[in-house]
Coordinates of all heavy atoms in Angstrom, one line a residue:
M20 N -9.3 -45.1 -22.4 CA -10.4 -44.3 -21.8 C -10.0 -43.6 -20.7 O -9.2 -43.9 -19.9 CB -11.5 -45.5 -21.4 CG -12.0 -46.2 -22.4 SD -13.5 -47.4 -22.1 CE -13.2 -48.0 -20.6
N21 N -10.6 -42.3 -20.7 CA -10.3 -41.4 -19.8 C -11.6 -41.2 -19.0 O -12.4 -40.4 -19.4 CB -9.8 -40.1 -20.3 CG -9.4 -39.1 -19.2 OD1 -9.6 -39.3 -18.1 ND2 -9.1 -37.9 -19.7
P22 N -11.6 -41.8 -17.8 CA -12.9 -41.7 -17.0 C -13.3 -40.3 -16.5 O -14.4 -40.1 -16.1 CB -12.8 -42.6 -15.8 CG -11.4 -42.9 -15.8 CD -10.7 -42.7 -17.1
K23 N -12.2 -39.4 -16.6 CA -12.5 -38.0 -16.1 C -13.1 -37.2 -17.4 O -13.5 -36.1 -17.0 CB -11.3 -37.4 -15.5 CG -10.9 -38.2 -14.3 CD -10.0 -37.2 -13.4 CE -9.6 -38.1 -12.2 NZ -10.1 -37.6 -11.0
S24 N -13.0 -37.7 -18.5 CA -13.6 -36.9 -19.6 C -15.1 -36.7 -19.6 O -15.7 -37.6 -18.9 CB -13.3 -37.9 -20.9 OG -14.0 -37.4 -22.0
K25 N -15.6 -35.6 -20.0 CA -16.9 -35.4 -19.9 C -17.8 -36.2 -20.7 O -18.9 -36.6 -20.4 CB -17.3 -33.9 -20.3 CG -16.9 -33.6 -21.8 CD -17.2 -32.1 -22.2 CE -16.8 -32.0 -23.5 NZ -16.9 -30.5 -23.9
L26 N -17.1 -37.0 -21.7 CA -17.9 -38.0 -22.3 C -18.3 -39.2 -21.5 O -19.2 -39.9 -21.8 CB -17.0 -38.5 -23.5 CG -16.6 -37.5 -24.5 CD1 -15.7 -38.1 -25.6 CD2 -17.8 -36.7 -25.2
Y27 N -17.8 -39.3 -20.3 CA -18.1 -40.4 -19.4 C -18.9 -40.0 -18.2 O -19.3 -40.7 -17.3 CB -16.9 -41.1 -18.9 CG -16.1 -41.8 -20.0 CD1 -15.0 -41.3 -20.6 CD2 -16.5 -43.1 -20.4 CE1 -14.4 -42.0 -21.5 CE2 -15.8 -43.8 -21.4 CZ -14.8 -43.3 -22.0 OH -14.1 -43.9 -22.9
Q28 N -19.4 -38.7 -18.3 CA -20.2 -38.1 -17.2 C -21.6 -38.0 -17.7 O -22.0 -37.3 -18.6 CB -19.7 -36.7 -16.9 CG -18.3 -36.6 -16.6 CD -17.9 -37.5 -15.4 OE1 -18.7 -37.5 -14.4 NE2 -16.8 -38.2 -15.4
P29 N -22.6 -38.6 -17.0 CA -24.0 -38.6 -17.4 C -24.6 -37.2 -17.4 O -25.3 -36.9 -18.3 CB -24.7 -39.4 -16.2 CG -23.7 -40.3 -15.7 CD -22.4 -39.6 -15.9
D30 N -24.2 -36.4 -16.5 CA -24.7 -35.0 -16.5 C -24.4 -34.1 -17.8 O -25.1 -33.4 -18.2 CB -24.1 -34.2 -15.3 CG -24.8 -34.7 -14.0 OD1 -25.7 -35.4 -14.0 OD2 -24.2 -34.5 -13.0
H31 N -23.2 -34.5 -18.4 CA -22.9 -33.9 -19.7 C -24.0 -34.1 -20.7 O -24.4 -33.3 -21.4 CB -21.4 -34.3 -20.1 CG -21.3 -34.0 -21.5 ND1 -20.8 -32.7 -22.0 CD2 -21.1 -34.7 -22.7 CE1 -20.6 -32.7 -23.2 NE2 -20.8 -33.9 -23.8
W32 N -24.3 -35.3 -20.7 CA -25.2 -35.8 -21.8 C -26.6 -35.4 -21.4 O -27.4 -35.1 -22.4 CB -25.2 -37.3 -22.0 CG -23.9 -37.8 -22.6 CD1 -22.9 -38.5 -21.9 CD2 -23.3 -37.5 -23.8 NE1 -21.8 -38.7 -22.7 CE2 -22.1 -38.0 -24.0 CE3 -23.8 -36.8 -25.0 CZ2 -21.2 -38.0 -24.9 CZ3 -22.9 -36.7 -26.0 CH2 -21.7 -37.3 -26.1
R33 N -26.9 -35.3 -20.3 CA -28.3 -34.8 -19.8 C -28.4 -33.3 -20.2 O -29.5 -32.9 -20.7 CB -28.5 -35.0 -18.3 CG -28.8 -36.5 -18.0 CD -29.2 -36.7 -16.5 NE -29.0 -38.0 -16.1 CZ -28.2 -38.6 -15.3 NH1 -27.2 -37.8 -14.7 NH2 -28.1 -39.8 -15.1
A34 N -27.4 -32.6 -19.9 CA -27.4 -31.2 -20.3 C -27.6 -31.0 -21.8 O -28.3 -30.1 -22.4 CB -26.1 -30.5 -19.8
R35 N -26.8 -31.8 -22.7 CA -27.0 -31.7 -24.0 C -28.4 -32.1 -24.5 O -29.0 -31.5 -25.4 CB -26.0 -32.7 -24.7 CG -24.6 -32.5 -24.5 CD -23.8 -31.5 -25.3 NE -24.1 -31.6 -26.8 CZ -23.1 -31.9 -27.7 NH1 -22.0 -32.3 -27.3 NH2 -23.5 -32.0 -29.0
A36 N -28.9 -33.1 -23.9 CA -30.3 -33.4 -24.3 C -31.3 -32.3 -23.8 O -32.2 -31.9 -24.7 CB -30.8 -34.7 -23.4
E37 N -31.2 -31.7 -22.6 CA -32.1 -30.6 -22.4 C -31.9 -29.4 -23.1 O -32.9 -28.8 -23.7 CB -31.7 -30.1 -20.8 CG -32.6 -29.1 -20.3 CD -34.1 -29.5 -20.3 OE1 -34.4 -30.7 -20.1 OE2 -35.0 -28.5 -20.5
A38 N -30.7 -29.0 -23.6 CA -30.3 -28.0 -24.5 C -31.0 -28.1 -25.9 O -31.5 -27.3 -26.5 CB -28.9 -27.6 -24.6
T39 N -31.0 -29.4 -26.4 CA -31.6 -29.9 -27.7 C -33.0 -29.7 -27.6 O -33.6 -29.2 -28.5 CB -31.1 -31.2 -28.0 OG1 -29.6 -31.3 -28.0 CG2 -31.5 -31.5 -29.4
R40 N -33.6 -30.1 -26.5 CA -35.2 -30.0 -26.4 C -35.6 -28.5 -26.4 O -36.5 -28.3 -26.9 CB -35.5 -30.7 -25.0 CG -35.6 -32.2 -25.2 CD -36.3 -32.9 -24.0 NE -36.1 -34.3 -24.1 CZ -35.1 -34.9 -23.5 NH1 -34.2 -34.4 -22.8 NH2 -35.0 -36.3 -23.8
K41 N -34.8 -27.7 -25.7 CA -35.1 -26.3 -25.7 C -35.1 -25.7 -27.1 O -36.0 -24.9 -27.5 CB -34.2 -25.5 -24.7 CG -34.4 -25.7 -23.3 CD -33.5 -24.9 -22.5 CE -33.8 -25.0 -21.0 NZ -32.8 -24.4 -20.1
K42 N -34.1 -26.1 -27.8 CA -33.9 -25.7 -29.3 C -35.2 -26.1 -30.0 O -35.8 -25.4 -30.9 CB -32.7 -26.1 -30.0 CG -31.5 -25.4 -29.4 CD -30.1 -25.8 -30.0 CE -28.9 -25.2 -29.4 NZ -27.7 -25.8 -30.0
A43 N -35.6 -27.4 -29.8 CA -36.7 -28.0 -30.5 C -38.0 -27.3 -30.1 O -38.8 -27.1 -31.0 CB -36.8 -29.5 -30.2
A44 N -38.2 -26.9 -28.9 CA -39.3 -26.1 -28.5 C -39.5 -24.8 -29.2 O -40.7 -24.4 -29.4 CB -39.3 -26.0 -27.0
A45 N -38.4 -24.3 -29.5 CA -38.4 -22.9 -30.3 C -38.8 -23.0 -31.8 O -39.1 -21.9 -32.5 CB -37.1 -22.2 -30.0
L46 N -38.8 -24.1 -32.2 CA -39.0 -24.4 -33.7 C -40.4 -24.6 -34.1 O -41.2 -25.2 -33.2 CB -38.2 -25.7 -34.3 CG -36.7 -25.6 -34.3 CD1 -36.1 -26.8 -34.7 CD2 -36.1 -24.4 -35.1
I47 N -40.9 -24.2 -35.3 CA -42.0 -24.4 -35.7 C -42.2 -25.5 -36.7 O -43.1 -26.3 -36.7 CB -42.6 -23.0 -36.4 CG1 -42.7 -21.9 -35.4 CG2 -44.0 -23.3 -37.1 CD1 -43.0 -20.6 -35.9
D48 N -41.1 -25.6 -37.4 CA -41.1 -26.8 -38.6 C -41.1 -28.2 -37.9 O -40.2 -28.4 -37.0 CB -39.9 -26.6 -39.3 CG -39.7 -27.8 -40.5 OD1 -40.7 -28.4 -40.8 OD2 -38.5 -28.0 -40.9
G49 N -42.1 -28.9 -38.1 CA -42.3 -30.2 -37.6 C -41.2 -31.2 -37.8 O -40.8 -31.9 -36.8
K50 N -40.7 -31.1 -39.1 CA -39.5 -32.2 -39.3 C -38.3 -31.8 -38.5 O -37.7 -32.7 -38.0 CB -39.3 -32.2 -40.8 CG -40.4 -32.8 -41.7 CD -39.9 -32.9 -43.1 CE -41.0 -33.6 -43.9 NZ -40.6 -33.7 -45.3
A51 N -38.0 -30.6 -38.5 CA -36.7 -30.1 -37.8 C -37.0 -30.3 -36.4 O -36.0 -30.9 -35.6 CB -36.5 -28.7 -38.0
K52 N -38.1 -30.0 -35.8 CA -38.4 -30.3 -34.3 C -38.2 -31.8 -34.1 O -37.6 -32.1 -33.1 CB -39.8 -29.7 -34.1 CG -40.1 -29.8 -32.7 CD -41.6 -29.3 -32.4 CE -41.4 -28.1 -31.5 NZ -42.7 -27.4 -31.3
D53 N -38.8 -32.6 -34.9 CA -38.8 -34.0 -34.7 C -37.3 -34.6 -34.6 O -36.9 -35.5 -33.8 CB -39.6 -34.9 -35.6 CG -41.1 -34.7 -35.4 OD1 -41.5 -34.2 -34.4 OD2 -41.8 -34.9 -36.5
R54 N -36.5 -34.0 -35.6 CA -35.2 -34.5 -35.7 C -34.3 -34.1 -34.3 O -33.7 -34.9 -33.8 CB -34.3 -33.8 -36.8 CG -34.8 -34.5 -38.2 CD -34.1 -33.9 -39.4 NE -34.6 -34.2 -40.6 CZ -35.0 -33.6 -41.6 NH1 -34.7 -32.3 -41.4 NH2 -35.3 -34.0 -42.6
L55 N -34.5 -32.9 -33.9 CA -33.9 -32.5 -32.6 C -34.4 -33.3 -31.4 O -33.6 -33.7 -30.6 CB -34.2 -31.0 -32.3 CG -33.4 -30.1 -33.2 CD1 -33.7 -28.5 -32.9 CD2 -31.9 -30.4 -32.9
L56 N -35.8 -33.7 -31.3 CA -36.2 -34.5 -30.4 C -35.7 -35.7 -30.2 O -35.3 -36.4 -29.4 CB -37.7 -34.5 -30.3 CG -38.3 -33.2 -30.0 CD1 -39.8 -33.3 -30.1 CD2 -38.0 -32.7 -28.5
K57 N -35.4 -36.4 -31.5 CA -34.7 -37.8 -31.7 C -33.3 -37.6 -31.1 O -32.8 -38.5 -30.6 CB -34.8 -38.2 -33.1 CG -36.2 -38.7 -33.5 CD -36.3 -39.1 -34.9 CE -37.6 -39.5 -35.3 NZ -37.7 -40.0 -36.7
I58 N -32.6 -36.4 -31.5 CA -31.2 -36.4 -31.1 C -31.2 -36.3 -29.6 O -30.3 -36.9 -28.9 CB -30.7 -35.1 -31.7 CG1 -30.4 -35.4 -33.2 CG2 -29.4 -34.6 -31.0 CD1 -30.0 -34.1 -34.1
A59 N -32.2 -35.6 -29.0 CA -32.3 -35.5 -27.4 C -32.4 -36.9 -26.9 O -31.8 -37.2 -25.8 CB -33.3 -34.6 -27.1
L60 N -33.2 -37.6 -27.5 CA -33.4 -39.1 -27.0 C -32.2 -39.9 -27.1 O -31.8 -40.6 -26.1 CB -34.5 -39.8 -27.6 CG -35.9 -39.4 -27.4 CD1 -36.9 -40.1 -28.4 CD2 -36.1 -39.6 -26.1
E61 N -31.3 -39.6 -28.1 CA -30.0 -40.3 -28.3 C -29.1 -39.8 -27.1 O -28.3 -40.6 -26.6 CB -29.3 -40.1 -29.6 CG -30.2 -40.8 -30.7 CD -30.3 -42.3 -30.5 OE1 -29.3 -43.0 -30.1 OE2 -31.4 -42.8 -30.7
Y62 N -29.1 -38.5 -26.9 CA -28.3 -38.0 -25.8 C -28.8 -38.6 -24.5 O -28.0 -39.0 -23.6 CB -28.5 -36.4 -25.6 CG -27.7 -35.7 -26.7 CD1 -28.1 -34.6 -27.2 CD2 -26.5 -36.1 -27.1 CE1 -27.4 -33.7 -28.1 CE2 -25.8 -35.6 -28.1 CZ -26.3 -34.3 -28.7 OH -25.7 -33.6 -29.6
D63 N -30.1 -38.9 -24.2 CA -30.6 -39.5 -23.1 C -30.1 -41.0 -22.9 O -29.5 -41.4 -21.7 CB -32.1 -39.4 -22.9 CG -32.7 -38.1 -22.7 OD1 -32.0 -37.5 -22.1 OD2 -33.9 -38.1 -23.1
K64 N -29.8 -41.5 -24.0 CA -29.3 -42.9 -24.0 C -27.9 -43.0 -23.6 O -27.4 -43.8 -22.9 CB -29.4 -43.6 -25.5 CG -30.9 -43.9 -25.7 CD -31.0 -44.6 -27.2 CE -32.4 -44.8 -27.7 NZ -32.5 -45.3 -28.9
L65 N -27.2 -42.0 -24.3 CA -25.7 -41.9 -23.8 C -25.5 -41.5 -22.4 O -24.6 -42.0 -21.7 CB -25.0 -40.7 -24.7 CG -24.8 -41.0 -26.1 CD1 -24.4 -39.8 -26.9 CD2 -23.8 -42.2 -26.3
A66 N -26.4 -40.6 -21.8 CA -26.4 -40.4 -20.3 C -26.6 -41.7 -19.6 O -26.0 -41.9 -18.6 CB -27.5 -39.5 -20.0
W67 N -27.5 -42.6 -20.1 CA -27.8 -43.8 -19.3 C -26.6 -44.7 -19.4 O -26.2 -45.3 -18.4 CB -29.0 -44.5 -19.9 CG -29.3 -45.9 -19.2 CD1 -29.1 -46.9 -19.9 CD2 -29.6 -46.2 -17.8 NE1 -29.2 -48.1 -19.0 CE2 -29.7 -47.5 -17.8 CE3 -29.8 -45.2 -16.8 CZ2 -30.0 -48.1 -16.6 CZ3 -30.1 -45.9 -15.5 CH2 -30.2 -47.3 -15.5
R68 N -25.9 -44.9 -20.5 CA -24.8 -45.5 -20.7 C -23.7 -45.1 -19.9 O -22.9 -45.9 -19.3 CB -24.3 -45.7 -22.2 CG -25.3 -46.4 -23.0 CD -24.8 -46.4 -24.4 NE -25.9 -47.1 -25.4 CZ -26.1 -46.8 -26.6 NH1 -25.3 -45.9 -27.2 NH2 -27.0 -47.4 -27.3
A69 N -23.4 -43.9 -19.9 CA -22.4 -43.3 -19.0 C -22.6 -43.6 -17.5 O -21.8 -43.9 -16.7 CB -22.3 -41.8 -19.2
H70 N -23.9 -43.5 -17.1 CA -24.4 -43.9 -15.7 C -24.0 -45.2 -15.5 O -23.5 -45.6 -14.4 CB -25.8 -43.6 -15.5 CG -26.3 -44.0 -14.2 ND1 -26.0 -43.4 -13.1 CD2 -27.1 -45.1 -13.9 CE1 -26.6 -44.0 -12.0 NE2 -27.4 -45.1 -12.6
V71 N -24.4 -46.2 -16.3 CA -24.1 -47.6 -16.1 C -22.6 -47.8 -16.1 O -22.1 -48.6 -15.2 CB -24.7 -48.4 -17.3 CG1 -24.3 -49.9 -17.2 CG2 -26.3 -48.4 -17.1
W72 N -21.8 -47.2 -16.9 CA -20.4 -47.4 -17.0 C -19.8 -47.0 -15.7 O -19.0 -47.7 -15.1 CB -19.9 -46.5 -18.2 CG -18.4 -46.8 -18.1 CD1 -17.7 -47.7 -18.9 CD2 -17.4 -45.9 -17.7 NE1 -16.4 -47.4 -18.7 CE2 -16.1 -46.2 -17.9 CE3 -17.6 -44.6 -16.9 CZ2 -15.0 -45.7 -17.6 CZ3 -16.3 -44.1 -16.5 CH2 -15.0 -44.6 -16.7
Q73 N -20.4 -45.9 -15.0 CA -19.8 -45.4 -13.8 C -20.1 -46.4 -12.7 O -19.4 -46.7 -11.7 CB -20.5 -44.0 -13.3 CG -19.6 -42.9 -14.3 CD -20.2 -41.5 -13.7 OE1 -21.3 -41.4 -13.0 NE2 -19.5 -40.5 -14.0
M74 N -21.4 -46.9 -12.8 CA -21.8 -47.9 -11.7 C -20.9 -49.0 -11.9 O -20.4 -49.6 -10.7 CB -23.2 -48.3 -11.8 CG -24.2 -47.2 -11.8 SD -24.3 -46.5 -10.0 CE -25.2 -47.9 -9.4
R75 N -20.6 -49.6 -13.0 CA -19.8 -50.8 -13.2 C -18.4 -50.5 -12.8 O -17.6 -51.4 -12.1 CB -19.8 -51.3 -14.5 CG -21.2 -51.9 -14.9 CD -21.1 -52.4 -16.4 NE -22.4 -53.0 -16.6 CZ -22.9 -53.3 -17.8 NH1 -22.1 -53.0 -18.9 NH2 -24.0 -53.8 -18.0
K76 N -17.9 -49.5 -13.1 CA -16.4 -49.0 -12.7 C -16.4 -48.9 -11.2 O -15.5 -49.3 -10.6 CB -16.1 -47.7 -13.3 CG -14.7 -47.3 -13.0 CD -14.3 -46.0 -13.9 CE -12.8 -45.7 -13.6 NZ -12.2 -46.2 -12.4
N77 N -17.4 -48.3 -10.5 CA -17.3 -48.1 -9.1 C -17.4 -49.6 -8.4 O -16.7 -49.9 -7.4 CB -18.5 -47.4 -8.6 CG -18.4 -45.9 -8.8 OD1 -17.3 -45.4 -9.2 ND2 -19.5 -45.2 -8.9
E78 N -18.2 -50.5 -9.1 CA -18.1 -51.9 -8.5 C -16.9 -52.6 -8.6 O -16.4 -53.3 -7.8 CB -19.3 -52.6 -9.2 CG -20.6 -52.3 -8.9 CD -21.7 -53.1 -9.7 OE1 -21.3 -53.9 -10.5 OE2 -23.0 -52.8 -9.4
D79 N -16.2 -52.3 -9.7 CA -14.8 -52.9 -10.0 C -13.7 -52.4 -9.1 O -12.9 -53.0 -8.8 CB -14.4 -52.7 -11.5 CG -15.3 -53.5 -12.4 OD1 -16.0 -54.4 -12.1 OD2 -15.2 -53.2 -13.7
D80 N -14.0 -51.1 -8.7 CA -13.0 -50.4 -7.8 C -13.0 -50.9 -6.3 O -12.1 -50.9 -5.6 CB -13.0 -48.8 -7.9 CG -12.7 -48.4 -9.1 OD1 -12.0 -49.1 -10.0 OD2 -13.0 -47.1 -9.5
T81 N -14.2 -51.4 -6.0 CA -14.3 -52.0 -4.7 C -13.9 -53.4 -4.5 O -13.6 -54.1 -5.2 CB -15.8 -51.8 -4.2 OG1 -16.7 -52.6 -5.0 CG2 -16.1 -50.4 -4.1

């Protein structure tokens, strides 16, 4: 595990979620829009997991 990797940074996943929501907002097709919004929710979950991971790592370092 490389804690400096962007995969462990909550802001990386939040930015992906926001970009995905912007793409979804531009779509007219309901199914495609729904799929993108679900993907954005998964990115939000990854952001939360990265946040929790950082918190635990910080606790372990002290």
